[in-house]
Amino acid sequence: MKLRQLLAGIAPLWAGPELEMEISGISYDTRTLRPGEIFVALTGYKTDGHRFLHEAVARGAALVVCEHPPDEAGPWLAVPDSRAALAVLSANWFGRPAEMLTVIGVTGTNGKTTSTYLIKEMLEQTLHTKVGLIGTNQNLIGREIRPAHRTTPESWEVQKLLREMADGGCTHVVMEVSSHALVLHRVDEIPFAAGLFTNLTQDHLDFHGTMERYRQAKGRLFEQCQRAVLNLDDEAGRYYAQTVPCPAVTYSENKDTADLTAKNIRLFPEKVVFEAVARGTISRVELPIPGGFTIYNALGALACGMSLGLSLAEIAAALKGVKGVKGRIEVVPVPAEFTVIIDYAHTPDALENILTTVRDVTAGQVICLFGCGGDRDRSKRPVMGSIAAALSDVAVVTSDNPRTEEPGEIIRDILAGMKEGGAQPRVEPDRRKAIRLALSLARPGDTVVLAGKGHETYQEINGVQYHLDEREEVASCFAVGSGTGKKAASQ
């Protein structure tokens, strides 16, 4: 592709014969840079791409896009924001695939993953079409699985996925849109047909600094949307309803002023049932995913479908057949008379939701195993400790992904919030041993919640990812010859 085509939409631009040169690709990592490609210098968490400008030239970069070019002759193109420039270059390189697709973005602190799966299933069943998904658990082109390494990939990877989805026959794409992605321009150049907001609770303050800046970051999505889909039961949702620059469809469990509400709610151990009421129509909704927060995920998906012009009756019927999402209220089969649940809850609100849900359906004790991630918002650690102490009978405090932090320091932060009473904490930093401890404490009628890892099958310690699948750990506890498993199974 010619440089002139790639630079369309990027200023400043220069005139000259260089604009007609052929570019062979785009890279933001000099380790994979090939001659004839454009190198884009990005500032990251651990390093700054501007440190490698001369290396990029030595490796044959045809053009180096950067915010701070060297004060010397070279193939430099200075831009105000290199991440924004990468988004434009990537969209141009892949032929602007988002413009060929109906793209739905889902943002919010909790519920994004489940919401995207609900919307995907809903669209496939009602429109009989192929739908792509970009998210935390995995990326999907219809049913074809592609691995996911972060909630929203870098803009080059996003545009590449969208191109593959368009070429693969997808007509719609549902994607999780993180606050990081919005601030770091990963979803620039994508016109969203609809943007769904789930909720806003404490998270990522290590990155955003304040809840206000966090709310502002989430709100950027609606600047790219044709329609906003907003939760009126959330304070930030009510704020967006007054400020978004596009028409909005609202949903609520409590406010009859919303476009879509839930009535006659009934919660069961294996499902939720309610009546979805829109202006002029009522449809019965049955969703085989337990928990009060499932009502909000279902309402958001339904309201999103309505924003796309689908009938409430059609989309309500489609939700009945959806399956649960890996790592979200996932029941692990065990040969014992207690229940084991794996859930991704890693924020205060998510932990409160899952513990409240299992409390409602547990005859015995609730045993909660959890930790907090390292190199992330420290202020939520004592809050999560307080929630676990208040809502569980036994709290096993362990490691999550300590990353570069000392696990003991993280645990001390958690324990600071558990001094006010409630469940007495049992501390075991080794997560494998902690799982065995939690299972050994369970009795018939109890529920063991393994919170924080969810779909993840690794634990990150000192920058290295070690395999850790909690499903495998639970199974090994019940394996023949396992002391802990035999003990747990016999109780």
Side-chain angles (χ1 to χ4, degrees), residues 79-108:
V79 295
D81 191 314
S82 55
R83 288 185 177 276
L86 176 63
V88 176
L89 289 166
S90 300
N92 290 341
W93 176 259
F94 289 105
R96 298 197 159 266
E99 297 174 8
M100 308 170 190
L101 298 159
T102 299
V103 184
I104 299 101
V106 180
T107 197

Side-chain angles (χ1 to χ4, degrees), residues 138-417:
Q138 59 190 358
N139 301 314
L140 295 169
I141 302 177
R143 300 297 172 187
E144 180 186 348
I145 298 174
R146 300 290 178 87
H149 302 291
R150 53 161 64 110
T151 299
T152 313
E154 198 58 75
S155 58
W156 191 89
E157 283 80 10
V158 168
Q159 294 294 336
K160 181 175 184 289
L161 277 168
L162 292 174
R163 178 75 270 163
E164 292 171 350
M165 289 172 178
D167 291 347
C170 293
T171 60
H172 294 66
V173 173
V174 191
M175 65 182 299
E176 295 183 50
V177 183
S178 68
S179 56
H180 290 68
L182 289 158
V183 171
L184 299 176
H185 301 283
R186 293 176 187 161
V187 294
D188 283 10
E189 308 302 310
I190 299 177
F192 290 94
L196 166 63
F197 169 73
T198 61
N199 52 61
L200 191 76
T201 61
Q202 183 177 340
D203 201 13
H204 304 308
L205 296 189
D206 55 304
F207 181 78
H208 297 292
T210 66
M211 288 297 293
E212 172 60 25
R213 289 175 61 185
Y214 185 28
R215 183 181 70 177
Q216 291 174 353
K218 293 287 188 188
R220 290 190 182 195
L221 173 63
F222 307 114
E223 297 172 8
Q224 300 172 228
C225 292
Q226 295 177 19
R227 292 282 189 280
V229 181
L230 306 172
N231 177 8
L232 284 191
D233 291 343
D234 186 277
E235 182 180 358
R238 294 190 293 274
Y239 171 82
Y240 295 141
Q242 300 298 319
T243 58
V244 294
C246 58
V249 175
T250 58
Y251 64 95
S252 169
E253 191 177 300
N254 305 310
K255 294 177 173 55
D256 291 337
T257 55
D259 297 307
L260 180 68
T261 57
K263 301 294 183 182
N264 299 321
I265 295 170
R266 289 181 290 165
L267 305 178
F268 299 92
E270 75 288 353
K271 65 181 178 180
V272 297
V273 177
F274 65 95
E275 291 176 352
V277 181
R279 290 166 188 174
T281 183
I282 299 176
S283 291
R284 185 177 186 274
V285 178
E286 182 176 324
L287 191 61
I289 303 173
F293 52 91
T294 296
I295 304 295
Y296 282 105
N297 292 336
L299 283 173
L302 292 167
C304 193
M306 290 170 55
S307 77
L308 298 174
L310 302 175
S311 76
L312 180 59
E314 280 184 296
I315 51 184
L319 290 184
K320 187 173 182 178
V322 303
K323 297 180 175 64
V325 180
K326 182 180 180 181
R328 272 67 175 177
I329 327 180
E330 180 184 350
V331 178
V332 182
V334 295
E337 295 180 19
F338 56 80
T339 302
V340 179
I341 291 176
I342 292 176
D343 193 81
Y344 191 48
H346 63 285
T347 68
D349 186 64
L351 186 62
E352 181 176 1
N353 282 339
I354 185 62
L355 292 180
T356 301
T357 294
V358 299
R359 171 65 70 191
D360 290 340
V361 296
T362 299
Q365 293 191 114
V366 173
I367 301 170
C368 174
L369 177 148
F370 77 107
C372 290
D375 302 331
R376 298 295 188 268
D377 179 14
R378 294 185 60 172
S379 66
K380 72 180 183 181
R381 296 172 185 173
V383 179
M384 292 179 67
S386 176
I387 290 169
L391 297 179
S392 60
D393 299 293
V394 180
V396 179
V397 183
T398 186
S399 292
D400 192 281
N401 289 322
R403 299 184 177 90
T404 64
E405 278 196 71
E406 171 58 41
E409 289 291 333
I410 299 172
I411 289 172
R412 279 189 283 275
D413 287 343
I414 294 171
L415 294 177

Side-chain angles (χ1 to χ4, degrees), residues 97-155:
E99 297 174 8
M100 308 170 190
L101 298 159
T102 299
V103 184
I104 299 101
V106 180
T107 197
T109 307
N110 301 310
K112 294 189 297 296
T113 299
T114 299
S115 296
T116 56
Y117 278 79
L118 294 181
I119 295 168
K120 181 179 188 294
E121 293 286 339
M122 181 182 70
L123 292 174
E124 287 176 337
Q125 291 187 42
T126 55
L127 299 178
H128 306 289
T129 192
K130 193 173 183 178
V131 180
L133 182 144
I134 300 174
T136 303
N137 280 21
Q138 59 190 358
N139 301 314
L140 295 169
I141 302 177
R143 300 297 172 187
E144 180 186 348
I145 298 174
R146 300 290 178 87
H149 302 291
R150 53 161 64 110
T151 299
T152 313
E154 198 58 75
S155 58

